[in-house]
């Protein structure tokens, strides 16, 4: 195990533990590192901020991107106290960091009462089988936004 | 097709089209409805806000929860111009709305240059096989945050 990896992962775990103890939110923390330095951190604040998207990794990604004034995390490493849930993993793919390192996993999260494992199963199912009733209504205008996008020559691809 | 569903889905599509045309962000829009009324909307602003998590559904969920002062969207329906990506679908599972309705799908998004289909494949793989190098380092203190969580009797479960 790389010494720096252990150091940064421990920071994420300490943030998670302190967050759970303080009552700020769920027991999760994340740290983003560039050039050997922490450039952003995040802790879960779902309940206190009334924001179901306020997971540690999402907050850390938003903070890091704000600091870098970029929507990409090129050359950054993301350390998370726990395996990212599908929401956070999706955010990681959109942010495109160099590496992801995590400590506990989706089964540990399940043991503690969190839906991560359940959501992984749901995301990988056909939508017709999912527990949240979902309808695909392919109405005629469905691709008009994509046409407008392709026609906007000033668009910023991401 | 339910008339109201078509009406609300069209609002999401119009928001998406206008967003792409204006240069504010990607060609995606979302609407959240409760008791037959729109309580929040969202459009993609990844590039203009330097925020890779600023997808239409995430923004709409955050706005709706802020308005409801709750981290749950009980009895709400979420309409999206396009099938939610894994990040947004994960957010939907954490927000727990009643229903999800979408118009275009992950294949349409791919045609327009977006990674949705690719990210669905990655999320459903073992992490060892994913394109973003990922390491699971189960260090000794990994479950200390969950212990602190269980021991905090004032915790707010979510």
């Amino acid at each position: 195990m790389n010494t720096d990896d252990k150091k940064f992962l421990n920071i994420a775990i300490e943030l998670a533990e302190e967050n759970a103890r303080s009552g700020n939110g769920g027991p999760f923390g994340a740290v983003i590192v560039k050039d050997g330095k922490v450039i952003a951190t995040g802790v879960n604040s779902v309940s206190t901020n009334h924001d179901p998207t306020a997971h540690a990794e999402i907050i850390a990604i938003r903070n890091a991107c704000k600091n870098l004034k970029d929507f990409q995390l090129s050359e950054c490493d993301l350390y998370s106290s726990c395996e990212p849930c599908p929401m956070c993993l999706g955010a990681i793919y959109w942010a495109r960091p160099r590496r992801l390192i995590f400590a506990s996993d989706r089964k540990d999260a399940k043991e503690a009462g969190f839906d991560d494992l359940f959501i992984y199963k749901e995301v990988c199912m056909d939508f017709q089988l999912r527990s949240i009733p979902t309808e695909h209504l392919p109405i005629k205008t469905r691709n008009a936004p994509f046409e407008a996008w392709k026609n906007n020559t000033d668009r910023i691809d991401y």
Side-chain angles (χ1 to χ4, degrees), chain A residues 86-87 117-127 130:
Chain A
M87 173 177 73
L117 184 62
F118 166 69
I119 299 176
Y120 266 104
K121 288 180 182 168
E122 291 277 318
V123 167
C124 300
M125 281 179 191
D126 286 341
F127 73 83
R130 292 188 189 136

Side-chain angles (χ1 to χ4, degrees), chain A residues 23-87:
Chain A
N24 178 68
F28 303 96
V31 170
I32 295 175
V33 173
K34 188 175 185 181
D35 299 329
K37 287 179 189 153
V38 174
I39 60 161
T41 64
V43 290
N44 182 293
S45 61
V46 166
S47 51
T48 46
N49 277 346
H50 298 143
D51 181 357
T53 75
H55 283 202
E57 299 93 326
I58 298 274
I59 303 287
I61 289 170
R62 298 181 76 210
N63 286 340
C65 286
K66 196 174 176 183
N67 292 341
L68 296 174
K69 296 184 176 55
D70 195 351
F71 52 82
Q72 298 287 266
L73 293 177
S74 313
E75 304 304 315
C76 293
D77 296 335
L78 194 154
Y79 296 83
S80 184
S81 63
C82 183
E83 182 182 7
C85 78
M87 173 177 73

Side-chain angles (χ1 to χ4, degrees), chain A residues 100-121:
Chain A
L100 164 65
I101 303 95
F102 65 88
S104 60
D105 68 12
R106 64 184 82 175
K107 289 176 191 166
D108 298 317
K110 184 186 175 174
E111 286 288 309
F114 296 96
D115 279 351
D116 303 52
L117 184 62
F118 166 69
I119 299 176
Y120 266 104
K121 288 180 182 168

